[in-house]
Amino acid sequence: DVKVTQSSRYLVKRTGEKVFLECVQDMDHENMFWYRQDPGLGLRLIYFSYDVKMKEKGDIPEGYSVSREKKERFSLILESASTNQTSMYLCASSLVRQPQHFGDGTRLSIL
Amino acid sequence: AQSVTQPDIHITVSEGASLELRCNYSYGATPYLFWYVQSPGQGLQLLLKYFSGDTLVQGIKGFEAEFKRSQSSFNLRKPSVHWSDAAEYFCAVGLNNNDMRFGAGTRLTVKP
């Protein structure tokens, strides 16, 4: 069965810290995605990657960066965390032009 | 610009009643369309998808959706709702570059 694993379910960090969110998929999918989910706004795409070492900006990339050194792993980095980055973060993966499969999410709080 | 609209933020139905969740999209080409469900504290689970062909698609858990090109709609339906269907539902449109756009979601409450 399809499996997308996010390293943490809950995370609390302080303003100004560098934060890493990790995502691993075991399905050999080419595409991987990072979204943030906020009430009333649905899912907003931060970054996606369609191949190793490739990345594309989504709708809200400001304040974030990503890394994809291996096909199965896609990391989201908050270079200097701010309180407005408190949110639920969802990772997903997919084959080309196929439905995305989601992890269970990381609820991140920035104090 | 591509967009997905779910007009209903919150819907309440009685258990056993029928359900229809609305979704409208704005996209120049023929879209790929999806419905996902999210239970509290969980990620999104795919209910069904439309790529081409028959405009009435069947999904898991007894859900179906109908693609109506003339109305730019892809509404989700279920003939008889169960208490376990209480969740948040997201409509999404897939773009040619493998990207997706999601609606803001509809939260479903099921009354006993």
Side-chain angles (χ1 to χ4, degrees), chain A residues 38-61:
Chain A
D38 300 289
L41 297 178
L43 277 70
R44 292 180 292 167
L45 182 66
I46 304 171
Y47 269 96
F48 69 99
S49 168
Y50 53 87
D51 202 351
V52 176
K53 297 190 185 294
M54 305 301 289
K55 61 184 179 183
E56 294 283 343
K57 292 180 179 179
D59 296 323
I60 51 165

Side-chain angles (χ1 to χ4, degrees), chain A residues 9 31 33 35 37 40-43 45 48 59 88 90 94-105, chain B residues 9 32 34 36 38 40-46 49 51 88 90 95-105:
Chain A
R9 292 299 303 273
N31 300 326
F33 307 83
Y35 296 89
Q37 182 179 17
L41 297 178
L43 277 70
L45 182 66
F48 69 99
D59 296 323
M88 169 72 95
L90 291 168
S94 75
L95 293 169
V96 174
R97 296 203 179 103
Q98 291 298 310
Q100 295 178 17
H101 299 269
F102 285 82
D104 285 338
Chain B
I9 296 173
Y32 307 130
F34 309 89
Y36 285 84
Q38 185 181 33
Q42 303 295 317
L44 275 69
Q45 180 185 20
L46 181 69
K49 62 186 179 186
F51 281 11
E88 188 148 23
F90 292 93
L95 311 179
N96 285 334
N97 64 351
N98 297 302
D99 193 1
M100 287 176 74
R101 289 290 180 267
F102 287 83

